[in-house]
Amino acid sequence: MILKHDITTLNTKRALSSSLKKLMQQKPFSKITVSNLISDSGLNRNTFYYHFEDIYALLRWTLEQEAIEVVRQFDLMVDYEDAIRFVLDYLQANNAMLKNIYDSLGRDELKRFFYNDFIGITKSIIEDIDEAQEIGAPAEFKSFLSMFCTEALAGILLEAITEKMPQNHEAIISNITIVITYGIPASLKAAVQKETEQIR
């Protein structure tokens, strides 16, 4: 059951998020102030700070609600191709907004946004593959592989935003599928083999 307070909170956050996206069509993200947001949304300063620590927190919430939370709802062991396609389509549909963020925050900061949001998803995929195929890879290696894959994924998403890679979504999906289907299991098995050899 959704409480009335929760609905009000969600609607307030959505109103602020909508104002942020609207303002980003008019000015760089780095130039947007809390005063701009409350003026556009009709809310007050106390309401803003009750829900968000700062504008960066509002930006993170916006991206999480529109993209990350949707991805988490996919059964990633079965529907990962659809999840990847959704993310790429989202990047394309919101390219102007994301370029604005990129230009304001810089590559490293936006990459950190993607990394922090996707690391949990990547860990889940690797753990599921390890369990489903009964590989039993060392936890330390699975953690490393999660970071490695997330770093690569964040880089690919940034390249898509800046249009430095061809906008052929199916080719990107196909390449990522090869890594998930063959590359990750092979890496996990190799880690087990190396650990076994070291024990001997």
Side-chain angles (χ1 to χ4, degrees):
M1 180 179 178
I2 301 177
L3 301 177
K4 184 177 180 180
H5 173 267
D6 294 334
I7 295 175
T8 301
T9 295
L10 182 59
N11 288 339
T12 299
K13 288 182 174 181
R14 283 175 174 170
L16 289 166
S17 176
S18 178
S19 291
L20 178 62
K21 293 186 71 175
K22 176 183 174 182
L23 289 166
M24 279 197 287
Q25 295 175 359
Q26 305 166 8
K27 60 172 67 177
F29 172 77
S30 59
K31 300 294 184 182
I32 297 172
T33 65
V34 173
S35 295
N36 296 149
L37 288 166
I38 61 178
S39 176
D40 184 82
S41 65
L43 300 168
N44 60 54
R45 186 173 295 271
N46 288 340
T47 298
F48 175 87
Y49 284 110
Y50 177 80
H51 293 93
F52 297 104
E53 179 181 351
D54 52 29
I55 297 177
Y56 291 93
L58 171 59
L59 174 63
R60 174 171 294 283
W61 185 86
T62 299
L63 295 176
E64 286 180 346
Q65 289 297 304
E66 294 186 351
I68 307 304
E69 288 303 322
V70 177
V71 172
R72 287 176 180 148
Q73 292 174 19
F74 283 95
D75 181 347
L76 294 175
M77 280 297 289
V78 178
D79 302 320
Y80 61 83
E81 289 188 15
D82 291 335
I84 298 166
R85 186 175 289 106
F86 167 80
V87 172
L88 293 173
D89 288 346
Y90 177 82
L91 295 183
Q92 189 172 52
N94 295 276
N95 189 259
M97 177 187 76
L98 292 166
K99 275 187 175 179
N100 184 330
I101 298 169
Y102 181 97
D103 292 338
S104 296
L105 299 184
R107 180 184 178 87
D108 290 343
E109 189 64 27
L110 185 54
K111 189 174 183 179
R112 192 174 297 115
F113 260 77
F114 285 133
Y115 183 93
N116 290 338
D117 283 329
F118 278 96
I119 185 67
I121 294 171
T122 307
K123 283 182 177 178
S124 176
I125 292 174
I126 290 172
E127 287 290 351
D128 287 345
I129 291 173
D130 186 61
E131 182 178 341
Q133 299 191 23
E134 299 180 344
I135 298 172
E140 183 179 345
F141 180 78
K142 287 188 287 186
S143 178
F144 166 79
L145 187 59
S146 298
M147 292 187 291
F148 185 87
C149 291
T150 306
E151 186 76 18
L153 179 59
I156 289 171
L157 296 180
L158 285 174
E159 293 298 295
I161 290 172
T162 56
E163 297 179 347
K164 291 180 180 177
M165 65 162 54
Q167 294 300 303
N168 185 341
H169 289 185
E170 295 308 314
I172 297 172
I173 292 167
S174 176
N175 291 337
I176 294 177
T177 295
I178 290 172
V179 172
I180 292 175
T181 305
Y182 302 103
I184 291 177
S187 298
L188 294 171
K189 291 172 183 176
V192 171
Q193 182 178 353
K194 181 178 179 181
E195 184 179 55
T196 302
E197 291 173 352
Q198 288 176 340
I199 292 174
R200 290 175 184 171

